[in-house]
Amino acid sequence: MTTPVPCDLLVIAASNGENLKLAERFGAEAKTQGLHAEVLDLTALDLPLFTPRALAAGAPPDLAPLQQQLGAATRWVICAPEYNGSIPPVLTSAIAWLSVQGDDFRALFNGRPVAIATHSGGGGHAVMAALRLQLAHLGAHVVGRQLVSNSVSGAKDASIADLIHRLKQLQPLQPSAD
């Protein structure tokens, strides 16, 4: 297995539809702003639904590379659709799998600068609130501004550029010397 190349920004898509397209726009804008950016489509990973029985069967092969890719990125953007007023199952399950991988999975999130965005068929505000709450619980530094778009009101290039600019201003927490 190869070690992931550290990148400035990992754009995580929690669907392979409009949110993947949105993630690709974030990745392209990040590169325009001089960042080394990569897009990760969570739906392309072989991560089964997290359950205690699935855990007992052993960690899926894609889990360790996912953890390494997340850890190698300085900052993240998460593009997630709203599923029944909350976070999509693929993202919730990935976070659950990560929580049982390694000694301190919170180190992946703790102090990590993260921006959140959605393209949703519904309002999209519920997923943003749920995602912000979960990421804050895990210790991430979530950018105050978020991007909510849908088929009526698409994501504006200027809004994507502004979120990347804001994210670039944030540095991850450094481990304490204690």
Side-chain angles (χ1 to χ4, degrees):
M1 176 168 41
T2 61
T3 303
V5 175
C7 71
D8 300 313
L9 181 67
L10 182 62
V11 187
I12 303 160
S15 82
N16 60 342
E18 293 300 319
N19 281 277
L20 180 56
K21 292 176 188 174
L22 181 59
E24 289 166 348
R25 289 178 63 194
F26 269 98
E29 176 58 34
K31 289 174 184 174
T32 299
Q33 292 190 32
L35 296 176
H36 173 215
E38 297 176 6
V39 174
L40 168 64
D41 176 0
L42 284 178
T43 69
L45 301 179
D46 188 14
L47 290 178
L49 176 66
F50 178 83
T51 66
R53 288 189 174 132
L55 177 61
D62 282 355
L63 185 58
L66 172 61
Q67 182 182 27
Q68 291 174 348
Q69 187 174 17
L70 291 167
T74 306
R75 299 163 191 85
W76 304 337
V77 171
I78 299 175
C79 299
E82 188 170 288
Y83 272 57
N84 301 313
S86 194
I87 301 169
V90 68
L91 182 56
T92 299
S93 189
I95 291 170
W97 274 113
L98 290 164
S99 74
V100 298
Q101 176 78 4
D103 294 331
D104 182 15
F105 93 100
R106 285 185 187 255
L108 278 176
F109 297 89
N110 197 28
R112 175 101 42 203
V114 180
I116 56 177
T118 187
H119 182 97
S120 290
H125 293 284
V127 69
M128 293 290 91
L131 191 53
R132 181 176 299 280
L133 184 63
Q134 184 171 37
L135 290 168
H137 174 78
L138 295 171
H141 184 166
V142 184
V143 174
R145 183 176 183 184
Q146 60 194 25
L147 188 146
V148 176
S149 64
N150 55 44
S151 60
V152 175
S153 179
K156 294 177 178 58
D157 291 338
S159 296
I160 292 171
D162 182 65
L163 269 172
I164 297 295
H165 175 75
R166 290 170 188 252
L167 204 50
K168 284 173 48 177
Q169 307 308 309
L170 302 175
Q171 296 300 319
L173 289 179
Q174 299 302 315
S176 63
D178 297 349

mmCIF file with all atom_site columns, all heavy atoms in Angstrom, residues 21-38:
data_model
loop_
_atom_site.group_PDB
_atom_site.id
_atom_site.type_symbol
_atom_site.label_atom_id
_atom_site.label_alt_id
_atom_site.label_comp_id
_atom_site.label_asym_id
_atom_site.label_entity_id
_atom_site.label_seq_id
_atom_site.pdbx_PDB_ins_code
_atom_site.Cartn_x
_atom_site.Cartn_y
_atom_site.Cartn_z
_atom_site.occupancy
_atom_site.B_iso_or_equiv
_atom_site.pdbx_formal_charge
_atom_site.auth_seq_id
_atom_site.auth_comp_id
_atom_site.auth_asym_id
_atom_site.auth_atom_id
_atom_site.pdbx_PDB_model_num
ATOM 1   N N   . LYS A 1 21 ? -20.565 16.620 -8.286  1.00 0.00 ? 21 LYS A N   1
ATOM 2   C CA  . LYS A 1 21 ? -20.293 17.742 -9.197  1.00 0.00 ? 21 LYS A CA  1
ATOM 3   C C   . LYS A 1 21 ? -19.891 18.988 -8.410  1.00 0.00 ? 21 LYS A C   1
ATOM 4   O O   . LYS A 1 21 ? -18.960 19.709 -8.797  1.00 0.00 ? 21 LYS A O   1
ATOM 5   C CB  . LYS A 1 21 ? -21.521 18.046 -10.054 1.00 0.00 ? 21 LYS A CB  1
ATOM 6   C CG  . LYS A 1 21 ? -21.864 16.968 -11.053 1.00 0.00 ? 21 LYS A CG  1
ATOM 7   C CD  . LYS A 1 21 ? -23.156 17.310 -11.785 1.00 0.00 ? 21 LYS A CD  1
ATOM 8   C CE  . LYS A 1 21 ? -23.634 16.156 -12.641 1.00 0.00 ? 21 LYS A CE  1
ATOM 9   N NZ  . LYS A 1 21 ? -24.965 16.441 -13.228 1.00 0.00 ? 21 LYS A NZ  1
ATOM 10  N N   . LEU A 1 22 ? -20.576 19.237 -7.301  1.00 0.00 ? 22 LEU A N   1
ATOM 11  C CA  . LEU A 1 22 ? -20.236 20.373 -6.442  1.00 0.00 ? 22 LEU A CA  1
ATOM 12  C C   . LEU A 1 22 ? -18.832 20.204 -5.872  1.00 0.00 ? 22 LEU A C   1
ATOM 13  O O   . LEU A 1 22 ? -18.033 21.154 -5.854  1.00 0.00 ? 22 LEU A O   1
ATOM 14  C CB  . LEU A 1 22 ? -21.275 20.510 -5.324  1.00 0.00 ? 22 LEU A CB  1
ATOM 15  C CG  . LEU A 1 22 ? -21.101 21.668 -4.348  1.00 0.00 ? 22 LEU A CG  1
ATOM 16  C CD1 . LEU A 1 22 ? -21.124 23.021 -5.061  1.00 0.00 ? 22 LEU A CD1 1
ATOM 17  C CD2 . LEU A 1 22 ? -22.199 21.600 -3.268  1.00 0.00 ? 22 LEU A CD2 1
ATOM 18  N N   . ALA A 1 23 ? -18.500 18.996 -5.447  1.00 0.00 ? 23 ALA A N   1
ATOM 19  C CA  . ALA A 1 23 ? -17.158 18.715 -4.917  1.00 0.00 ? 23 ALA A CA  1
ATOM 20  C C   . ALA A 1 23 ? -16.087 18.973 -5.978  1.00 0.00 ? 23 ALA A C   1
ATOM 21  O O   . ALA A 1 23 ? -15.024 19.533 -5.670  1.00 0.00 ? 23 ALA A O   1
ATOM 22  C CB  . ALA A 1 23 ? -17.083 17.271 -4.414  1.00 0.00 ? 23 ALA A CB  1
ATOM 23  N N   . GLU A 1 24 ? -16.361 18.579 -7.196  1.00 0.00 ? 24 GLU A N   1
ATOM 24  C CA  . GLU A 1 24 ? -15.399 18.813 -8.277  1.00 0.00 ? 24 GLU A CA  1
ATOM 25  C C   . GLU A 1 24 ? -15.205 20.299 -8.526  1.00 0.00 ? 24 GLU A C   1
ATOM 26  O O   . GLU A 1 24 ? -14.089 20.753 -8.811  1.00 0.00 ? 24 GLU A O   1
ATOM 27  C CB  . GLU A 1 24 ? -15.856 18.087 -9.537  1.00 0.00 ? 24 GLU A CB  1
ATOM 28  C CG  . GLU A 1 24 ? -15.716 16.573 -9.405  1.00 0.00 ? 24 GLU A CG  1
ATOM 29  C CD  . GLU A 1 24 ? -16.449 15.767 -10.467 1.00 0.00 ? 24 GLU A CD  1
ATOM 30  O OE1 . GLU A 1 24 ? -17.277 16.343 -11.223 1.00 0.00 ? 24 GLU A OE1 1
ATOM 31  O OE2 . GLU A 1 24 ? -16.204 14.546 -10.523 1.00 0.00 ? 24 GLU A OE2 1
ATOM 32  N N   . ARG A 1 25 ? -16.269 21.085 -8.380  1.00 0.00 ? 25 ARG A N   1
ATOM 33  C CA  . ARG A 1 25 ? -16.138 22.540 -8.512  1.00 0.00 ? 25 ARG A CA  1
ATOM 34  C C   . ARG A 1 25 ? -15.271 23.113 -7.393  1.00 0.00 ? 25 ARG A C   1
ATOM 35  O O   . ARG A 1 25 ? -14.448 23.995 -7.623  1.00 0.00 ? 25 ARG A O   1
ATOM 36  C CB  . ARG A 1 25 ? -17.513 23.206 -8.509  1.00 0.00 ? 25 ARG A CB  1
ATOM 37  C CG  . ARG A 1 25 ? -18.296 22.947 -9.791  1.00 0.00 ? 25 ARG A CG  1
ATOM 38  C CD  . ARG A 1 25 ? -19.672 23.575 -9.759  1.00 0.00 ? 25 ARG A CD  1
ATOM 39  N NE  . ARG A 1 25 ? -19.608 25.036 -9.658  1.00 0.00 ? 25 ARG A NE  1
ATOM 40  C CZ  . ARG A 1 25 ? -20.658 25.793 -9.352  1.00 0.00 ? 25 ARG A CZ  1
ATOM 41  N NH1 . ARG A 1 25 ? -21.847 25.240 -9.125  1.00 0.00 ? 25 ARG A NH1 1
ATOM 42  N NH2 . ARG A 1 25 ? -20.530 27.107 -9.271  1.00 0.00 ? 25 ARG A NH2 1
ATOM 43  N N   . PHE A 1 26 ? -15.447 22.618 -6.172  1.00 0.00 ? 26 PHE A N   1
ATOM 44  C CA  . PHE A 1 26 ? -14.600 23.054 -5.056  1.00 0.00 ? 26 PHE A CA  1
ATOM 45  C C   . PHE A 1 26 ? -13.142 22.692 -5.326  1.00 0.00 ? 26 PHE A C   1
ATOM 46  O O   . PHE A 1 26 ? -12.241 23.490 -5.093  1.00 0.00 ? 26 PHE A O   1
ATOM 47  C CB  . PHE A 1 26 ? -15.060 22.424 -3.736  1.00 0.00 ? 26 PHE A CB  1
ATOM 48  C CG  . PHE A 1 26 ? -16.057 23.235 -2.977  1.00 0.00 ? 26 PHE A CG  1
ATOM 49  C CD1 . PHE A 1 26 ? -17.409 22.943 -3.070  1.00 0.00 ? 26 PHE A CD1 1
ATOM 50  C CD2 . PHE A 1 26 ? -15.661 24.283 -2.170  1.00 0.00 ? 26 PHE A CD2 1
ATOM 51  C CE1 . PHE A 1 26 ? -18.347 23.684 -2.365  1.00 0.00 ? 26 PHE A CE1 1
ATOM 52  C CE2 . PHE A 1 26 ? -16.585 25.035 -1.457  1.00 0.00 ? 26 PHE A CE2 1
ATOM 53  C CZ  . PHE A 1 26 ? -17.943 24.730 -1.560  1.00 0.00 ? 26 PHE A CZ  1
ATOM 54  N N   . GLY A 1 27 ? -12.903 21.472 -5.810  1.00 0.00 ? 27 GLY A N   1
ATOM 55  C CA  . GLY A 1 27 ? -11.540 21.043 -6.111  1.00 0.00 ? 27 GLY A CA  1
ATOM 56  C C   . GLY A 1 27 ? -10.886 21.905 -7.174  1.00 0.00 ? 27 GLY A C   1
ATOM 57  O O   . GLY A 1 27 ? -9.724  22.300 -7.044  1.00 0.00 ? 27 GLY A O   1
ATOM 58  N N   . ALA A 1 28 ? -11.636 22.229 -8.222  1.00 0.00 ? 28 ALA A N   1
ATOM 59  C CA  . ALA A 1 28 ? -11.099 23.067 -9.295  1.00 0.00 ? 28 ALA A CA  1
ATOM 60  C C   . ALA A 1 28 ? -10.786 24.470 -8.781  1.00 0.00 ? 28 ALA A C   1
ATOM 61  O O   . ALA A 1 28 ? -9.732  25.041 -9.102  1.00 0.00 ? 28 ALA A O   1
ATOM 62  C CB  . ALA A 1 28 ? -12.087 23.138 -10.459 1.00 0.00 ? 28 ALA A CB  1
ATOM 63  N N   . GLU A 1 29 ? -11.661 25.031 -7.969  1.00 0.00 ? 29 GLU A N   1
ATOM 64  C CA  . GLU A 1 29 ? -11.425 26.375 -7.422  1.00 0.00 ? 29 GLU A CA  1
ATOM 65  C C   . GLU A 1 29 ? -10.224 26.381 -6.483  1.00 0.00 ? 29 GLU A C   1
ATOM 66  O O   . GLU A 1 29 ? -9.432  27.319 -6.482  1.00 0.00 ? 29 GLU A O   1
ATOM 67  C CB  . GLU A 1 29 ? -12.670 26.900 -6.698  1.00 0.00 ? 29 GLU A CB  1
ATOM 68  C CG  . GLU A 1 29 ? -12.466 28.250 -6.017  1.00 0.00 ? 29 GLU A CG  1
ATOM 69  C CD  . GLU A 1 29 ? -12.014 29.370 -6.953  1.00 0.00 ? 29 GLU A CD  1
ATOM 70  O OE1 . GLU A 1 29 ? -12.426 29.391 -8.132  1.00 0.00 ? 29 GLU A OE1 1
ATOM 71  O OE2 . GLU A 1 29 ? -11.253 30.255 -6.489  1.00 0.00 ? 29 GLU A OE2 1
ATOM 72  N N   . ALA A 1 30 ? -10.090 25.326 -5.687  1.00 0.00 ? 30 ALA A N   1
ATOM 73  C CA  . ALA A 1 30 ? -8.938  25.243 -4.781  1.00 0.00 ? 30 ALA A CA  1
ATOM 74  C C   . ALA A 1 30 ? -7.630  25.258 -5.572  1.00 0.00 ? 30 ALA A C   1
ATOM 75  O O   . ALA A 1 30 ? -6.667  25.927 -5.190  1.00 0.00 ? 30 ALA A O   1
ATOM 76  C CB  . ALA A 1 30 ? -9.038  23.987 -3.919  1.00 0.00 ? 30 ALA A CB  1
ATOM 77  N N   . LYS A 1 31 ? -7.609  24.531 -6.676  1.00 0.00 ? 31 LYS A N   1
ATOM 78  C CA  . LYS A 1 31 ? -6.409  24.511 -7.520  1.00 0.00 ? 31 LYS A CA  1
ATOM 79  C C   . LYS A 1 31 ? -6.151  25.889 -8.114  1.00 0.00 ? 31 LYS A C   1
ATOM 80  O O   . LYS A 1 31 ? -5.003  26.328 -8.212  1.00 0.00 ? 31 LYS A O   1
ATOM 81  C CB  . LYS A 1 31 ? -6.552  23.447 -8.605  1.00 0.00 ? 31 LYS A CB  1
ATOM 82  C CG  . LYS A 1 31 ? -6.477  22.041 -8.036  1.00 0.00 ? 31 LYS A CG  1
ATOM 83  C CD  . LYS A 1 31 ? -6.751  20.969 -9.077  1.00 0.00 ? 31 LYS A CD  1
ATOM 84  C CE  . LYS A 1 31 ? -6.749  19.597 -8.401  1.00 0.00 ? 31 LYS A CE  1
ATOM 85  N NZ  . LYS A 1 31 ? -7.152  18.531 -9.315  1.00 0.00 ? 31 LYS A NZ  1
ATOM 86  N N   . THR A 1 32 ? -7.222  26.596 -8.501  1.00 0.00 ? 32 THR A N   1
ATOM 87  C CA  . THR A 1 32 ? -7.086  27.965 -9.010  1.00 0.00 ? 32 THR A CA  1
ATOM 88  C C   . THR A 1 32 ? -6.452  28.866 -7.953  1.00 0.00 ? 32 THR A C   1
ATOM 89  O O   . THR A 1 32 ? -5.672  29.758 -8.276  1.00 0.00 ? 32 THR A O   1
ATOM 90  C CB  . THR A 1 32 ? -8.473  28.528 -9.421  1.00 0.00 ? 32 THR A CB  1
ATOM 91  O OG1 . THR A 1 32 ? -9.000  27.707 -10.456 1.00 0.00 ? 32 THR A OG1 1
ATOM 92  C CG2 . THR A 1 32 ? -8.386  29.954 -9.901  1.00 0.00 ? 32 THR A CG2 1
ATOM 93  N N   . GLN A 1 33 ? -6.766  28.607 -6.691  1.00 0.00 ? 33 GLN A N   1
ATOM 94  C CA  . GLN A 1 33 ? -6.220  29.400 -5.588  1.00 0.00 ? 33 GLN A CA  1
ATOM 95  C C   . GLN A 1 33 ? -4.875  28.863 -5.087  1.00 0.00 ? 33 GLN A C   1
ATOM 96  O O   . GLN A 1 33 ? -4.388  29.275 -4.043  1.00 0.00 ? 33 GLN A O   1
ATOM 97  C CB  . GLN A 1 33 ? -7.226  29.478 -4.435  1.00 0.00 ? 33 GLN A CB  1
ATOM 98  C CG  . GLN A 1 33 ? -8.462  30.279 -4.774  1.00 0.00 ? 33 GLN A CG  1
ATOM 99  C CD  . GLN A 1 33 ? -9.324  30.554 -3.562  1.00 0.00 ? 33 GLN A CD  1
ATOM 100 O OE1 . GLN A 1 33 ? -8.833  30.694 -2.433  1.00 0.00 ? 33 GLN A OE1 1
ATOM 101 N NE2 . GLN A 1 33 ? -10.633 30.640 -3.774  1.00 0.00 ? 33 GLN A NE2 1
ATOM 102 N N   . GLY A 1 34 ? -4.283  27.943 -5.847  1.00 0.00 ? 34 GLY A N   1
ATOM 103 C CA  . GLY A 1 34 ? -2.932  27.482 -5.536  1.00 0.00 ? 34 GLY A CA  1
ATOM 104 C C   . GLY A 1 34 ? -2.818  26.339 -4.553  1.00 0.00 ? 34 GLY A C   1
ATOM 105 O O   . GLY A 1 34 ? -1.728  26.041 -4.069  1.00 0.00 ? 34 GLY A O   1
ATOM 106 N N   . LEU A 1 35 ? -3.914  25.672 -4.258  1.00 0.00 ? 35 LEU A N   1
ATOM 107 C CA  . LEU A 1 35 ? -3.877  24.546 -3.327  1.00 0.00 ? 35 LEU A CA  1
ATOM 108 C C   . LEU A 1 35 ? -3.752  23.228 -4.081  1.00 0.00 ? 35 LEU A C   1
ATOM 109 O O   . LEU A 1 35 ? -4.256  23.092 -5.196  1.00 0.00 ? 35 LEU A O   1
ATOM 110 C CB  . LEU A 1 35 ? -5.157  24.510 -2.484  1.00 0.00 ? 35 LEU A CB  1
ATOM 111 C CG  . LEU A 1 35 ? -5.410  25.685 -1.555  1.00 0.00 ? 35 LEU A CG  1
ATOM 112 C CD1 . LEU A 1 35 ? -6.763  25.531 -0.861  1.00 0.00 ? 35 LEU A CD1 1
ATOM 113 C CD2 . LEU A 1 35 ? -4.306  25.808 -0.520  1.00 0.00 ? 35 LEU A CD2 1
ATOM 114 N N   . HIS A 1 36 ? -3.114  22.269 -3.455  1.00 0.00 ? 36 HIS A N   1
ATOM 115 C CA  . HIS A 1 36 ? -3.122  20.894 -3.970  1.00 0.00 ? 36 HIS A CA  1
ATOM 116 C C   . HIS A 1 36 ? -4.395  20.264 -3.424  1.00 0.00 ? 36 HIS A C   1
ATOM 117 O O   . HIS A 1 36 ? -4.516  20.032 -2.217  1.00 0.00 ? 36 HIS A O   1
ATOM 118 C CB  . HIS A 1 36 ? -1.881  20.137 -3.505  1.00 0.00 ? 36 HIS A CB  1
ATOM 119 C CG  . HIS A 1 36 ? -1.925  18.682 -3.854  1.00 0.00 ? 36 HIS A CG  1
ATOM 120 N ND1 . HIS A 1 36 ? -1.397  17.727 -3.045  1.00 0.00 ? 36 HIS A ND1 1
ATOM 121 C CD2 . HIS A 1 36 ? -2.456  18.014 -4.905  1.00 0.00 ? 36 HIS A CD2 1
ATOM 122 C CE1 . HIS A 1 36 ? -1.596  16.526 -3.576  1.00 0.00 ? 36 HIS A CE1 1
ATOM 123 N NE2 . HIS A 1 36 ? -2.238  16.687 -4.702  1.00 0.00 ? 36 HIS A NE2 1
ATOM 124 N N   . ALA A 1 37 ? -5.365  20.022 -4.304  1.00 0.00 ? 37 ALA A N   1
ATOM 125 C CA  . ALA A 1 37 ? -6.665  19.514 -3.884  1.00 0.00 ? 37 ALA A CA  1
ATOM 126 C C   . ALA A 1 37 ? -6.980  18.189 -4.550  1.00 0.00 ? 37 ALA A C   1
ATOM 127 O O   . ALA A 1 37 ? -6.585  17.943 -5.687  1.00 0.00 ? 37 ALA A O   1
ATOM 128 C CB  . ALA A 1 37 ? -7.757  20.533 -4.231  1.00 0.00 ? 37 ALA A CB  1
ATOM 129 N N   . GLU A 1 38 ? -7.705  17.349 -3.814  1.00 0.00 ? 38 GLU A N   1
ATOM 130 C CA  . GLU A 1 38 ? -8.186  16.073 -4.325  1.00 0.00 ? 38 GLU A CA  1
ATOM 131 C C   . GLU A 1 38 ? -9.656  15.939 -3.980  1.00 0.00 ? 38 GLU A C   1
ATOM 132 O O   . GLU A 1 38 ? -10.109 16.462 -2.955  1.00 0.00 ? 38 GLU A O   1
ATOM 133 C CB  . GLU A 1 38 ? -7.420  14.908 -3.693  1.00 0.00 ? 38 GLU A CB  1
ATOM 134 C CG  . GLU A 1 38 ? -5.945  14.894 -4.006  1.00 0.00 ? 38 GLU A CG  1
ATOM 135 C CD  . GLU A 1 38 ? -5.195  13.782 -3.272  1.00 0.00 ? 38 GLU A CD  1
ATOM 136 O OE1 . GLU A 1 38 ? -5.847  12.941 -2.606  1.00 0.00 ? 38 GLU A OE1 1
ATOM 137 O OE2 . GLU A 1 38 ? -3.969  13.774 -3.355  1.00 0.00 ? 38 GLU A OE2 1
#
